[in-house]
Amino acid sequence: MSPSRRSVALLGATGSIGVQTLDVLRRERERFELVSIAGGEQLSELAAIAKEFGVKSIAVKSERHRADLVELVGPGVEVVVGDEGLHDLAQRSDVVVNAVMGFAGLPVTLGALSAGKRLALANKESLIAAAPLVAKVRNTIGATLLPIDSEHCAIHQCLASSPGAVGYPDVKRIVLTASGGPFRGWSEEQLKGATKQDALHHPTWSMGAKITIDSSTLMNKGLEVLEASALFGIDVDRIDVVVHPQSIIHSMVEYVDGSVLAQLSRPDMRLPIAYCLGQPERLAYAYGELDFSKAISLSFEPPDGTAFPALGLAYEAARVAGAAPAWLSAANEVAVAAFLADEINWCDIVAIVASTMDHYVADPLESLASLYESDDAARRWARASLER
Ligand code: NDP
Ligand code: MG
């Protein structure tokens, strides 16, 4: 590897963010070398990526997955297993892209930051659940946390006009934009008939199944409020959500002097991925370029907090703090998985999260062990609520 090439670990390589990251890396072979990858069930895809990029190490979920993958890649590639494997690979590269889905991405976030690496974070669930623990490892020398989530990447770019200011005193508020999802404008009555097919049909973004369902309930935006607060150290009372159906403005920062800064592009996740890989430089390939020679309409409307109660639950979890965000996210993972498995209706998803939160017992979340206990407790309550 030439000294100027940065080594990259892409953990969650076979998913929506993973595939789009590979697309960026294909164009940037002179700057980046993909050295390690991880995935869940799609082992032949993992093997194909390893072959194409000459990957040296792969993390898989279990010994069974390891045995099957070794058959495909042969003995020349290192295959590591489980949470330890993810943690280990996250500690070895210059840049770590966390594109794993859900709480399973936690070892990647903690591994990369505690080893002083650059973490390009798509996996919002790990940051939301473990915010106090992540805050500690972020202080490791060299550790940098850059958000791939498009809204947070937009805010990161807008905040560049307040360099180094702790707590951003000149920021009046952050405004997260939301497409509104496939059910924007639906009444509570109509939402009772929402199907899986409807919910999986996102109007502006093509994403993995879990986040697509989260977008349909607006839980994704609720999780993003928590994510923004943890990332930028800004209280949720200074974070607002506005529905912007075109998904062109990816979020905004309003300053105390009335200025509002925004970042715009057509919806294309490769742009924030490339931004996180390239920082402090910009990679010279334009993703999501806008054509201002044609008319572009931008509209804004308030979210419907009554039809979409997930947003309110997320603000509540943020105010309770401690392990409450971890409970919210864990319960939501259980409910979304049940919905995708056709076990519950769409309206049950957020109802299960709400009923799980009723059982939350205050926990300041001081250790990793207590986080795993909280995650486990929330999942148990969510499953119990499912069975009712
Ligand atoms: P996908 O479901 O498309 O992909 C998830 C990836 O995680 C797959 O590669 C999957 O492997 C892998 N995976 C799942 N469990 C494990 C595990 N235990 N160990 C290792 N790998 C595992 O999700 P997305 O790409 O849509 O989302 C990934 C993350 O990025 C989520 O946290 C999401 O919220 C966030 N995000 C996604 C956006 C998007 O546009 N897609 C936008 C903003 C944020 P396999 O497929 O082989 O089973
Ligand atoms: Mg987002």
Side-chain angles (χ1 to χ4, degrees), residues 12-18 20 38-42 59 61 86 98-102 104 122-125 149-150 205-209 211 220 224 269:
T14 47
S16 162
I17 292 290
Q20 295 179 85
E41 299 304 326
Q42 303 188 69
K61 291 206 285 199
L86 284 176
N98 188 351
V100 174
M101 192 278 283
N123 177 272
K124 62 192 89 182
E125 295 92 342
D149 209 353
S150 56
W205 295 98
S206 164
M207 309 179 284
I211 185 174
N220 182 50
E224 289 184 352
M269 286 309 296

PDB file of all heavy atoms in Angstrom, residues 12-18 20 38-42 59 61 86 98-102 104 122-125 149-150 205-209 211 220 224 269, ligand 1:
ATOM      1  N   GLY A  12     -20.435  -4.327   7.524  1.00  0.00           N
ATOM      2  CA  GLY A  12     -21.795  -4.218   6.990  1.00  0.00           C
ATOM      3  C   GLY A  12     -21.699  -3.965   5.488  1.00  0.00           C
ATOM      4  O   GLY A  12     -22.423  -3.142   4.930  1.00  0.00           O
ATOM      5  N   ALA A  13     -20.787  -4.714   4.849  1.00  0.00           N
ATOM      6  CA  ALA A  13     -20.441  -4.429   3.437  1.00  0.00           C
ATOM      7  C   ALA A  13     -21.525  -4.854   2.457  1.00  0.00           C
ATOM      8  O   ALA A  13     -21.562  -4.354   1.326  1.00  0.00           O
ATOM      9  CB  ALA A  13     -19.121  -5.124   3.092  1.00  0.00           C
ATOM     10  N   THR A  14     -22.398  -5.787   2.867  1.00  0.00           N
ATOM     11  CA  THR A  14     -23.358  -6.339   1.917  1.00  0.00           C
ATOM     12  C   THR A  14     -24.702  -5.605   1.912  1.00  0.00           C
ATOM     13  O   THR A  14     -25.584  -5.933   1.128  1.00  0.00           O
ATOM     14  CB  THR A  14     -23.632  -7.829   2.270  1.00  0.00           C
ATOM     15  OG1 THR A  14     -23.869  -7.907   3.687  1.00  0.00           O
ATOM     16  CG2 THR A  14     -22.449  -8.704   1.924  1.00  0.00           C
ATOM     17  N   GLY A  15     -24.867  -4.604   2.777  1.00  0.00           N
ATOM     18  CA  GLY A  15     -26.147  -3.896   2.861  1.00  0.00           C
ATOM     19  C   GLY A  15     -26.209  -2.681   1.947  1.00  0.00           C
ATOM     20  O   GLY A  15     -25.336  -2.472   1.092  1.00  0.00           O
ATOM     21  N   SER A  16     -27.248  -1.881   2.149  1.00  0.00           N
ATOM     22  CA  SER A  16     -27.479  -0.715   1.300  1.00  0.00           C
ATOM     23  C   SER A  16     -26.326   0.294   1.405  1.00  0.00           C
ATOM     24  O   SER A  16     -25.762   0.730   0.386  1.00  0.00           O
ATOM     25  CB  SER A  16     -28.813  -0.080   1.715  1.00  0.00           C
ATOM     26  OG  SER A  16     -28.924   1.224   1.258  1.00  0.00           O
ATOM     27  N   ILE A  17     -25.935   0.668   2.621  1.00  0.00           N
ATOM     28  CA  ILE A  17     -24.808   1.604   2.794  1.00  0.00           C
ATOM     29  C   ILE A  17     -23.511   0.936   2.340  1.00  0.00           C
ATOM     30  O   ILE A  17     -22.660   1.558   1.692  1.00  0.00           O
ATOM     31  CB  ILE A  17     -24.695   2.053   4.278  1.00  0.00           C
ATOM     32  CG1 ILE A  17     -25.894   2.921   4.655  1.00  0.00           C
ATOM     33  CG2 ILE A  17     -23.380   2.792   4.538  1.00  0.00           C
ATOM     34  CD1 ILE A  17     -25.937   4.293   4.015  1.00  0.00           C
ATOM     35  N   GLY A  18     -23.369  -0.363   2.659  1.00  0.00           N
ATOM     36  CA  GLY A  18     -22.157  -1.091   2.274  1.00  0.00           C
ATOM     37  C   GLY A  18     -21.936  -1.064   0.766  1.00  0.00           C
ATOM     38  O   GLY A  18     -20.848  -0.711   0.288  1.00  0.00           O
ATOM     39  N   GLN A  20     -23.157   0.974  -1.434  1.00  0.00           N
ATOM     40  CA  GLN A  20     -22.888   2.334  -1.940  1.00  0.00           C
ATOM     41  C   GLN A  20     -21.472   2.795  -1.567  1.00  0.00           C
ATOM     42  O   GLN A  20     -20.834   3.542  -2.308  1.00  0.00           O
ATOM     43  CB  GLN A  20     -23.940   3.306  -1.405  1.00  0.00           C
ATOM     44  CG  GLN A  20     -25.326   2.968  -1.958  1.00  0.00           C
ATOM     45  CD  GLN A  20     -26.398   3.898  -1.416  1.00  0.00           C
ATOM     46  OE1 GLN A  20     -26.606   4.970  -1.952  1.00  0.00           O
ATOM     47  NE2 GLN A  20     -27.060   3.498  -0.353  1.00  0.00           N
ATOM     48  N   ALA A  38     -17.203  -6.936   6.803  1.00  0.00           N
ATOM     49  CA  ALA A  38     -18.015  -7.821   7.651  1.00  0.00           C
ATOM     50  C   ALA A  38     -19.411  -7.868   7.075  1.00  0.00           C
ATOM     51  O   ALA A  38     -19.834  -6.943   6.371  1.00  0.00           O
ATOM     52  CB  ALA A  38     -18.070  -7.295   9.082  1.00  0.00           C
ATOM     53  N   GLY A  39     -20.107  -8.951   7.375  1.00  0.00           N
ATOM     54  CA  GLY A  39     -21.493  -9.079   6.924  1.00  0.00           C
ATOM     55  C   GLY A  39     -22.214 -10.098   7.772  1.00  0.00           C
ATOM     56  O   GLY A  39     -21.634 -10.716   8.670  1.00  0.00           O
ATOM     57  N   GLY A  40     -23.499 -10.256   7.469  1.00  0.00           N
ATOM     58  CA  GLY A  40     -24.340 -11.172   8.232  1.00  0.00           C
ATOM     59  C   GLY A  40     -24.565 -12.477   7.487  1.00  0.00           C
ATOM     60  O   GLY A  40     -23.787 -13.426   7.605  1.00  0.00           O
ATOM     61  N   GLU A  41     -25.631 -12.498   6.674  1.00  0.00           N
ATOM     62  CA  GLU A  41     -26.037 -13.759   6.026  1.00  0.00           C
ATOM     63  C   GLU A  41     -25.534 -13.918   4.592  1.00  0.00           C
ATOM     64  O   GLU A  41     -25.499 -15.027   4.071  1.00  0.00           O
ATOM     65  CB  GLU A  41     -27.572 -13.863   6.026  1.00  0.00           C
ATOM     66  CG  GLU A  41     -28.201 -13.867   7.422  1.00  0.00           C
ATOM     67  CD  GLU A  41     -27.657 -14.970   8.318  1.00  0.00           C
ATOM     68  OE1 GLU A  41     -27.336 -16.062   7.794  1.00  0.00           O
ATOM     69  OE2 GLU A  41     -27.529 -14.736   9.533  1.00  0.00           O
ATOM     70  N   GLN A  42     -25.199 -12.826   3.933  1.00  0.00           N
ATOM     71  CA  GLN A  42     -24.903 -12.918   2.486  1.00  0.00           C
ATOM     72  C   GLN A  42     -23.430 -13.281   2.244  1.00  0.00           C
ATOM     73  O   GLN A  42     -22.623 -12.434   1.846  1.00  0.00           O
ATOM     74  CB  GLN A  42     -25.253 -11.602   1.819  1.00  0.00           C
ATOM     75  CG  GLN A  42     -26.708 -11.202   2.037  1.00  0.00           C
ATOM     76  CD  GLN A  42     -27.071  -9.997   1.206  1.00  0.00           C
ATOM     77  OE1 GLN A  42     -27.147 -10.066  -0.017  1.00  0.00           O
ATOM     78  NE2 GLN A  42     -27.280  -8.871   1.848  1.00  0.00           N
ATOM     79  N   ALA A  59     -15.077 -10.349   8.975  1.00  0.00           N
ATOM     80  CA  ALA A  59     -15.760 -10.748  10.217  1.00  0.00           C
ATOM     81  C   ALA A  59     -17.140 -11.291   9.881  1.00  0.00           C
ATOM     82  O   ALA A  59     -17.866 -10.706   9.070  1.00  0.00           O
ATOM     83  CB  ALA A  59     -15.893  -9.559  11.169  1.00  0.00           C
ATOM     84  N   LYS A  61     -20.724 -13.693  11.691  1.00  0.00           N
ATOM     85  CA  LYS A  61     -21.476 -13.750  12.938  1.00  0.00           C
ATOM     86  C   LYS A  61     -21.162 -14.950  13.825  1.00  0.00           C
ATOM     87  O   LYS A  61     -21.247 -14.855  15.025  1.00  0.00           O
ATOM     88  CB  LYS A  61     -22.982 -13.764  12.622  1.00  0.00           C
ATOM     89  CG  LYS A  61     -23.487 -12.458  12.061  1.00  0.00           C
ATOM     90  CD  LYS A  61     -24.964 -12.246  12.324  1.00  0.00           C
ATOM     91  CE  LYS A  61     -25.863 -13.069  11.462  1.00  0.00           C
ATOM     92  NZ  LYS A  61     -27.245 -12.570  11.403  1.00  0.00           N
ATOM     93  N   LEU A  86     -15.717  -8.208  15.082  1.00  0.00           N
ATOM     94  CA  LEU A  86     -16.068  -6.854  14.610  1.00  0.00           C
ATOM     95  C   LEU A  86     -15.199  -5.809  15.317  1.00  0.00           C
ATOM     96  O   LEU A  86     -14.664  -4.891  14.695  1.00  0.00           O
ATOM     97  CB  LEU A  86     -17.541  -6.546  14.908  1.00  0.00           C
ATOM     98  CG  LEU A  86     -18.608  -7.175  14.023  1.00  0.00           C
ATOM     99  CD1 LEU A  86     -19.998  -6.823  14.547  1.00  0.00           C
ATOM    100  CD2 LEU A  86     -18.465  -6.714  12.572  1.00  0.00           C
ATOM    101  N   ASN A  98     -19.005   2.116   9.695  1.00  0.00           N
ATOM    102  CA  ASN A  98     -19.940   1.253  10.417  1.00  0.00           C
ATOM    103  C   ASN A  98     -21.277   1.261   9.676  1.00  0.00           C
ATOM    104  O   ASN A  98     -22.085   2.164   9.850  1.00  0.00           O
ATOM    105  CB  ASN A  98     -20.117   1.711  11.864  1.00  0.00           C
ATOM    106  CG  ASN A  98     -20.931   0.707  12.685  1.00  0.00           C
ATOM    107  OD1 ASN A  98     -21.488  -0.245  12.119  1.00  0.00           O
ATOM    108  ND2 ASN A  98     -21.012   0.910  13.977  1.00  0.00           N
ATOM    109  N   ALA A  99     -21.472   0.223   8.853  1.00  0.00           N
ATOM    110  CA  ALA A  99     -22.696   0.094   8.050  1.00  0.00           C
ATOM    111  C   ALA A  99     -23.491  -1.131   8.468  1.00  0.00           C
ATOM    112  O   ALA A  99     -24.305  -1.645   7.709  1.00  0.00           O
ATOM    113  CB  ALA A  99     -22.329   0.019   6.569  1.00  0.00           C
ATOM    114  N   VAL A 100     -23.226  -1.611   9.685  1.00  0.00           N
ATOM    115  CA  VAL A 100     -23.997  -2.730  10.234  1.00  0.00           C
ATOM    116  C   VAL A 100     -25.372  -2.193  10.621  1.00  0.00           C
ATOM    117  O   VAL A 100     -25.530  -1.018  10.948  1.00  0.00           O
ATOM    118  CB  VAL A 100     -23.273  -3.318  11.472  1.00  0.00           C
ATOM    119  CG1 VAL A 100     -24.121  -4.385  12.156  1.00  0.00           C
ATOM    120  CG2 VAL A 100     -21.919  -3.893  11.074  1.00  0.00           C
ATOM    121  N   MET A 101     -26.390  -3.048  10.585  1.00  0.00           N
ATOM    122  CA  MET A 101     -27.735  -2.619  10.963  1.00  0.00           C
ATOM    123  C   MET A 101     -27.967  -2.898  12.449  1.00  0.00           C
ATOM    124  O   MET A 101     -27.693  -3.996  12.922  1.00  0.00           O
ATOM    125  CB  MET A 101     -28.753  -3.390  10.102  1.00  0.00           C
ATOM    126  CG  MET A 101     -30.157  -2.859  10.166  1.00  0.00           C
ATOM    127  SD  MET A 101     -31.051  -3.430  11.604  1.00  0.00           S
ATOM    128  CE  MET A 101     -31.465  -5.096  11.123  1.00  0.00           C
ATOM    129  N   GLY A 102     -28.455  -1.897  13.188  1.00  0.00           N
ATOM    130  CA  GLY A 102     -28.946  -2.105  14.543  1.00  0.00           C
ATOM    131  C   GLY A 102     -27.868  -2.158  15.624  1.00  0.00           C
ATOM    132  O   GLY A 102     -26.692  -1.847  15.395  1.00  0.00           O
ATOM    133  N   ALA A 104     -26.318  -4.441  16.820  1.00  0.00           N
ATOM    134  CA  ALA A 104     -25.199  -5.334  16.490  1.00  0.00           C
ATOM    135  C   ALA A 104     -23.964  -4.549  16.059  1.00  0.00           C
ATOM    136  O   ALA A 104     -22.847  -5.076  16.077  1.00  0.00           O
ATOM    137  CB  ALA A 104     -25.611  -6.311  15.381  1.00  0.00           C
ATOM    138  N   ALA A 122     -22.682   5.146   9.902  1.00  0.00           N
ATOM    139  CA  ALA A 122     -24.064   5.072   9.412  1.00  0.00           C
ATOM    140  C   ALA A 122     -24.946   4.488  10.516  1.00  0.00           C
ATOM    141  O   ALA A 122     -26.096   4.875  10.673  1.00  0.00           O
ATOM    142  CB  ALA A 122     -24.142   4.214   8.160  1.00  0.00           C
ATOM    143  N   ASN A 123     -24.350   3.552  11.275  1.00  0.00           N
ATOM    144  CA  ASN A 123     -25.092   2.809  12.304  1.00  0.00           C
ATOM    145  C   ASN A 123     -25.492   3.701  13.486  1.00  0.00           C
ATOM    146  O   ASN A 123     -24.801   3.764  14.508  1.00  0.00           O
ATOM    147  CB  ASN A 123     -24.222   1.631  12.788  1.00  0.00           C
ATOM    148  CG  ASN A 123     -24.867   0.855  13.908  1.00  0.00           C
ATOM    149  OD1 ASN A 123     -24.703   1.189  15.069  1.00  0.00           O
ATOM    150  ND2 ASN A 123     -25.625  -0.162  13.574  1.00  0.00           N
ATOM    151  N   LYS A 124     -26.627   4.397  13.334  1.00  0.00           N
ATOM    152  CA  LYS A 124     -27.051   5.349  14.369  1.00  0.00           C
ATOM    153  C   LYS A 124     -27.423   4.646  15.675  1.00  0.00           C
ATOM    154  O   LYS A 124     -27.285   5.203  16.757  1.00  0.00           O
ATOM    155  CB  LYS A 124     -28.211   6.199  13.849  1.00  0.00           C
ATOM    156  CG  LYS A 124     -29.457   5.432  13.490  1.00  0.00           C
ATOM    157  CD  LYS A 124     -30.459   6.302  12.718  1.00  0.00           C
ATOM    158  CE  LYS A 124     -30.205   6.236  11.224  1.00  0.00           C
ATOM    159  NZ  LYS A 124     -31.085   7.066  10.421  1.00  0.00           N
ATOM    160  N   GLU A 125     -27.927   3.375  15.573  1.00  0.00           N
ATOM    161  CA  GLU A 125     -28.439   2.701  16.774  1.00  0.00           C
ATOM    162  C   GLU A 125     -27.367   2.570  17.860  1.00  0.00           C
ATOM    163  O   GLU A 125     -27.675   2.674  19.052  1.00  0.00           O
ATOM    164  CB  GLU A 125     -28.996   1.314  16.420  1.00  0.00           C
ATOM    165  CG  GLU A 125     -30.233   1.329  15.501  1.00  0.00           C
ATOM    166  CD  GLU A 125     -29.871   1.246  14.012  1.00  0.00           C
ATOM    167  OE1 GLU A 125     -28.696   1.522  13.656  1.00  0.00           O
ATOM    168  OE2 GLU A 125     -30.763   0.894  13.206  1.00  0.00           O
ATOM    169  N   ASP A 149     -25.051   9.482   8.139  1.00  0.00           N
ATOM    170  CA  ASP A 149     -26.487   9.767   8.045  1.00  0.00           C
ATOM    171  C   ASP A 149     -26.631  11.155   7.397  1.00  0.00           C
ATOM    172  O   ASP A 149     -25.999  12.127   7.836  1.00  0.00           O
ATOM    173  CB  ASP A 149     -27.083   9.752   9.469  1.00  0.00           C
ATOM    174  CG  ASP A 149     -28.542   9.334   9.461  1.00  0.00           C
ATOM    175  OD1 ASP A 149     -29.114   9.187   8.367  1.00  0.00           O
ATOM    176  OD2 ASP A 149     -29.108   9.171  10.564  1.00  0.00           O
ATOM    177  N   SER A 150     -27.443  11.237   6.345  1.00  0.00           N
ATOM    178  CA  SER A 150     -27.398  12.425   5.478  1.00  0.00           C
ATOM    179  C   SER A 150     -27.720  13.721   6.235  1.00  0.00           C
ATOM    180  O   SER A 150     -27.083  14.757   6.004  1.00  0.00           O
ATOM    181  CB  SER A 150     -28.356  12.248   4.300  1.00  0.00           C
ATOM    182  OG  SER A 150     -29.653  11.986   4.776  1.00  0.00           O
ATOM    183  N   TRP A 205     -35.827   7.682  -0.883  1.00  0.00           N
ATOM    184  CA  TRP A 205     -34.565   6.974  -0.630  1.00  0.00           C
ATOM    185  C   TRP A 205     -34.761   5.469  -0.818  1.00  0.00           C
ATOM    186  O   TRP A 205     -35.809   4.931  -0.462  1.00  0.00           O
ATOM    187  CB  TRP A 205     -34.096   7.184   0.816  1.00  0.00           C
ATOM    188  CG  TRP A 205     -33.730   8.584   1.202  1.00  0.00           C
ATOM    189  CD1 TRP A 205     -34.528   9.479   1.865  1.00  0.00           C
ATOM    190  CD2 TRP A 205     -32.478   9.255   0.999  1.00  0.00           C
ATOM    191  NE1 TRP A 205     -33.836  10.646   2.077  1.00  0.00           N
ATOM    192  CE2 TRP A 205     -32.579  10.545   1.567  1.00  0.00           C
ATOM    193  CE3 TRP A 205     -31.260   8.872   0.400  1.00  0.00           C
ATOM    194  CZ2 TRP A 205     -31.530  11.467   1.553  1.00  0.00           C
ATOM    195  CZ3 TRP A 205     -30.222   9.791   0.390  1.00  0.00           C
ATOM    196  CH2 TRP A 205     -30.355  11.066   0.949  1.00  0.00           C
ATOM    197  N   SER A 206     -33.712   4.789  -1.318  1.00  0.00           N
ATOM    198  CA  SER A 206     -33.725   3.329  -1.364  1.00  0.00           C
ATOM    199  C   SER A 206     -32.761   2.833  -0.291  1.00  0.00           C
ATOM    200  O   SER A 206     -31.563   3.096  -0.370  1.00  0.00           O
ATOM    201  CB  SER A 206     -33.294   2.876  -2.765  1.00  0.00           C
ATOM    202  OG  SER A 206     -32.944   1.527  -2.718  1.00  0.00           O
ATOM    203  N   MET A 207     -33.278   2.128   0.725  1.00  0.00           N
ATOM    204  CA  MET A 207     -32.458   1.796   1.907  1.00  0.00           C
ATOM    205  C   MET A 207     -32.781   0.371   2.354  1.00  0.00           C
ATOM    206  O   MET A 207     -33.688  -0.273   1.836  1.00  0.00           O
ATOM    207  CB  MET A 207     -32.799   2.764   3.056  1.00  0.00           C
ATOM    208  CG  MET A 207     -32.759   4.229   2.680  1.00  0.00           C
ATOM    209  SD  MET A 207     -33.181   5.326   4.056  1.00  0.00           S
ATOM    210  CE  MET A 207     -34.964   5.144   4.126  1.00  0.00           C
ATOM    211  N   GLY A 208     -32.057  -0.100   3.376  1.00  0.00           N
ATOM    212  CA  GLY A 208     -32.347  -1.403   3.959  1.00  0.00           C
ATOM    213  C   GLY A 208     -33.748  -1.427   4.562  1.00  0.00           C
ATOM    214  O   GLY A 208     -34.352  -0.379   4.805  1.00  0.00           O
ATOM    215  N   ALA A 209     -34.258  -2.655   4.812  1.00  0.00           N
ATOM    216  CA  ALA A 209     -35.655  -2.809   5.241  1.00  0.00           C
ATOM    217  C   ALA A 209     -35.934  -2.134   6.587  1.00  0.00           C
ATOM    218  O   ALA A 209     -36.948  -1.455   6.754  1.00  0.00           O
ATOM    219  CB  ALA A 209     -36.004  -4.284   5.325  1.00  0.00           C
ATOM    220  N   ILE A 211     -34.518   0.434   8.272  1.00  0.00           N
ATOM    221  CA  ILE A 211     -34.585   1.901   8.271  1.00  0.00           C
ATOM    222  C   ILE A 211     -35.746   2.391   7.391  1.00  0.00           C
ATOM    223  O   ILE A 211     -36.331   3.446   7.664  1.00  0.00           O
ATOM    224  CB  ILE A 211     -33.230   2.540   7.872  1.00  0.00           C
ATOM    225  CG1 ILE A 211     -33.292   4.070   7.999  1.00  0.00           C
ATOM    226  CG2 ILE A 211     -32.764   2.138   6.512  1.00  0.00           C
ATOM    227  CD1 ILE A 211     -31.979   4.786   7.761  1.00  0.00           C
ATOM    228  N   ASN A 220     -37.474   6.733  12.602  1.00  0.00           N
ATOM    229  CA  ASN A 220     -36.134   7.081  12.106  1.00  0.00           C
ATOM    230  C   ASN A 220     -35.802   8.529  12.455  1.00  0.00           C
ATOM    231  O   ASN A 220     -34.696   8.829  12.900  1.00  0.00           O
ATOM    232  CB  ASN A 220     -36.037   6.851  10.598  1.00  0.00           C
ATOM    233  CG  ASN A 220     -34.640   7.149  10.075  1.00  0.00           C
ATOM    234  OD1 ASN A 220     -33.652   6.666  10.621  1.00  0.00           O
ATOM    235  ND2 ASN A 220     -34.536   7.975   9.047  1.00  0.00           N
ATOM    236  N   GLU A 224     -33.006   9.986  14.882  1.00  0.00           N
ATOM    237  CA  GLU A 224     -32.049  10.993  14.390  1.00  0.00           C
ATOM    238  C   GLU A 224     -31.964  12.220  15.302  1.00  0.00           C
ATOM    239  O   GLU A 224     -30.928  12.885  15.360  1.00  0.00           O
ATOM    240  CB  GLU A 224     -32.413  11.387  12.956  1.00  0.00           C
ATOM    241  CG  GLU A 224     -32.113  10.251  11.999  1.00  0.00           C
ATOM    242  CD  GLU A 224     -32.344  10.571  10.536  1.00  0.00           C
ATOM    243  OE1 GLU A 224     -32.896  11.642  10.225  1.00  0.00           O
ATOM    244  OE2 GLU A 224     -31.966   9.739   9.699  1.00  0.00           O
ATOM    245  N   MET A 269     -26.864   8.693  -1.041  1.00  0.00           N
ATOM    246  CA  MET A 269     -26.040   8.455   0.155  1.00  0.00           C
ATOM    247  C   MET A 269     -24.552   8.419  -0.158  1.00  0.00           C
ATOM    248  O   MET A 269     -23.721   8.499   0.752  1.00  0.00           O
ATOM    249  CB  MET A 269     -26.459   7.142   0.840  1.00  0.00           C
ATOM    250  CG  MET A 269     -27.769   7.194   1.590  1.00  0.00           C
ATOM    251  SD  MET A 269     -27.921   8.571   2.765  1.00  0.00           S
ATOM    252  CE  MET A 269     -26.638   8.182   3.949  1.00  0.00           C
TER     253      MET A 269
HETATM  254  P1  NDP B   1     -29.060  -3.156   5.444  1.00  0.00           P
HETATM  255  O1  NDP B   1     -30.050  -4.005   6.137  1.00  0.00           O
HETATM  256  O2  NDP B   1     -29.197  -2.931   3.987  1.00  0.00           O
HETATM  257  O3  NDP B   1     -27.592  -3.716   5.708  1.00  0.00           O
HETATM  258  C1  NDP B   1     -27.171  -4.094   6.982  1.00  0.00           C
HETATM  259  C2  NDP B   1     -25.784  -4.681   6.912  1.00  0.00           C
HETATM  260  O4  NDP B   1     -25.421  -5.161   8.216  1.00  0.00           O
HETATM  261  C3  NDP B   1     -25.672  -5.883   5.984  1.00  0.00           C
HETATM  262  O5  NDP B   1     -24.392  -5.891   5.402  1.00  0.00           O
HETATM  263  C4  NDP B   1     -25.815  -7.063   6.948  1.00  0.00           C
HETATM  264  O6  NDP B   1     -25.274  -8.270   6.459  1.00  0.00           O
HETATM  265  C5  NDP B   1     -24.989  -6.510   8.090  1.00  0.00           C
HETATM  266  N1  NDP B   1     -25.178  -7.170   9.374  1.00  0.00           N
HETATM  267  C6  NDP B   1     -26.330  -7.389  10.036  1.00  0.00           C
HETATM  268  N2  NDP B   1     -26.069  -7.993  11.220  1.00  0.00           N
HETATM  269  C7  NDP B   1     -24.720  -8.144  11.283  1.00  0.00           C
HETATM  270  C8  NDP B   1     -23.831  -8.689  12.261  1.00  0.00           C
HETATM  271  N3  NDP B   1     -24.271  -9.207  13.406  1.00  0.00           N
HETATM  272  N4  NDP B   1     -22.495  -8.667  11.990  1.00  0.00           N
HETATM  273  C9  NDP B   1     -22.029  -8.139  10.843  1.00  0.00           C
HETATM  274  N5  NDP B   1     -22.809  -7.606   9.896  1.00  0.00           N
HETATM  275  C10 NDP B   1     -24.145  -7.614  10.117  1.00  0.00           C
HETATM  276  O7  NDP B   1     -29.050  -1.762   6.231  1.00  0.00           O
HETATM  277  P2  NDP B   1     -28.655  -0.324   5.693  1.00  0.00           P
HETATM  278  O8  NDP B   1     -27.405  -0.383   4.900  1.00  0.00           O
HETATM  279  O9  NDP B   1     -29.846   0.345   5.150  1.00  0.00           O
HETATM  280  O10 NDP B   1     -28.357   0.412   7.082  1.00  0.00           O
HETATM  281  C11 NDP B   1     -27.177   0.170   7.837  1.00  0.00           C
HETATM  282  C12 NDP B   1     -27.114   1.198   8.942  1.00  0.00           C
HETATM  283  O11 NDP B   1     -26.998   2.494   8.336  1.00  0.00           O
HETATM  284  C13 NDP B   1     -28.370   1.256   9.810  1.00  0.00           C
HETATM  285  O12 NDP B   1     -27.987   1.550  11.119  1.00  0.00           O
HETATM  286  C14 NDP B   1     -29.156   2.421   9.236  1.00  0.00           C
HETATM  287  O13 NDP B   1     -29.976   3.064  10.184  1.00  0.00           O
HETATM  288  C15 NDP B   1     -28.054   3.344   8.781  1.00  0.00           C
HETATM  289  N6  NDP B   1     -28.419   4.253   7.684  1.00  0.00           N
HETATM  290  C16 NDP B   1     -28.758   3.751   6.469  1.00  0.00           C
HETATM  291  C17 NDP B   1     -29.114   4.594   5.427  1.00  0.00           C
HETATM  292  C18 NDP B   1     -29.438   4.065   4.068  1.00  0.00           C
HETATM  293  O14 NDP B   1     -29.617   4.877   3.134  1.00  0.00           O
HETATM  294  N7  NDP B   1     -29.524   2.778   3.863  1.00  0.00           N
HETATM  295  C19 NDP B   1     -29.160   6.045   5.633  1.00  0.00           C
HETATM  296  C20 NDP B   1     -28.737   6.465   6.945  1.00  0.00           C
HETATM  297  C21 NDP B   1     -28.384   5.595   7.929  1.00  0.00           C
HETATM  298  P3  NDP B   1     -26.139  -9.298   5.513  1.00  0.00           P
HETATM  299  O15 NDP B   1     -26.903  -8.453   4.548  1.00  0.00           O
HETATM  300  O16 NDP B   1     -25.030 -10.088   4.869  1.00  0.00           O
HETATM  301  O17 NDP B   1     -27.012 -10.104   6.412  1.00  0.00           O
END
